Amino acid sequence: MPRHLQASPNGEGLRIGIVLARFNQSVTDPLLAGALEALVRHGVAEDAIDVAVVPGSFELPLGAQRLAASGRYDALVCLGAVVRGETPHFDFVAAEAARGVADVARRHDLPVAFGVLTTDTIEQALARAGGERGNKGYEAAVTALEMVQVLRVVQKY
Ligand code: INI
């Protein structure tokens, strides 16, 4: 019988750092609200959550790296909204945010969830930040908790 190493997203006793991009704040504020709701609903104490605010999604990796290096957190959640404009800036910001966040997770061996929306329009982003397409911030926070727990299960074997 194959052994399934899996876990549910229990947040009890965990310390969580959130890195929040301010750019497109009308989207990132509801992403933050969703992430906080998910963390508290899954048992994370409010005073065990810190939120570091950075200017834009491009700055998320460095913000996450500093929080990771502090050793204070069991997992991080990065939140941002990159909306395609008229310039290629979108591609650079979105690609660096994704690559940088993944780099931090592997370098620090720490779950770092990628709650960054990449959409063509602000309407599409809002739909995924508490609108009719759910809340990516909520999902990212649950992902971070599940990763903490599944890595603990893996560690035991
Ligand atoms: N930052 C975002 O988070 N979303 C965007 O859509 C965006 N656009 O489109 O420009 C954006 N740019 C700012 C960027 O993240 C940096 O803050 C800036 O380049 C300074 O380093």
Side-chain angles (χ1 to χ4, degrees):
M1 269 287 270
R3 210 165 27 211
H4 284 254
L5 307 180
Q6 59 189 40
S8 49
N10 179 9
E12 281 166 37
L14 300 187
R15 288 200 62 86
I16 305 296
I18 296 177
V19 192
L20 176 73
R22 206 172 40 235
F23 203 102
N24 289 322
Q25 195 169 6
S26 64
V27 178
T28 62
D29 275 351
L31 288 179
L32 175 63
L36 293 174
E37 183 190 339
L39 294 176
V40 170
R41 196 179 273 187
H42 288 82
V44 182
E46 277 195 33
D47 62 3
I49 304 169
D50 294 330
V51 183
V53 183
V54 298
S57 295
F58 190 82
E59 285 73 35
L60 287 171
L62 182 57
Q65 183 166 291
R66 284 297 171 93
L67 292 194
S70 75
R72 282 198 298 268
Y73 303 101
D74 296 292
L76 303 178
V77 181
C78 292
L79 301 174
V82 192
V83 178
R84 189 181 291 280
E86 299 298 312
T87 74
H89 203 57
F90 170 95
D91 296 299
F92 294 114
V93 172
E96 284 307 314
R99 196 174 58 93
V101 167
D103 280 352
V104 171
R106 290 189 293 256
R107 193 173 314 128
H108 290 273
D109 193 23
L110 186 75
V112 185
F114 186 66
V116 179
L117 292 169
T118 54
T119 60
D120 287 332
T121 67
I122 201 87
E123 290 74 23
Q124 289 170 343
L126 287 167
R128 292 159 178 79
E132 65 269 24
R133 297 292 188 97
N135 189 313
K136 183 80 177 169
Y138 188 103
E139 288 173 26
V142 175
T143 295
L145 300 181
E146 183 178 341
M147 282 302 293
V148 172
Q149 302 302 349
V150 76
L151 293 182
R152 286 179 176 182
V153 171
V154 169
Q155 190 72 29
K156 281 195 209 140
Y157 283 91

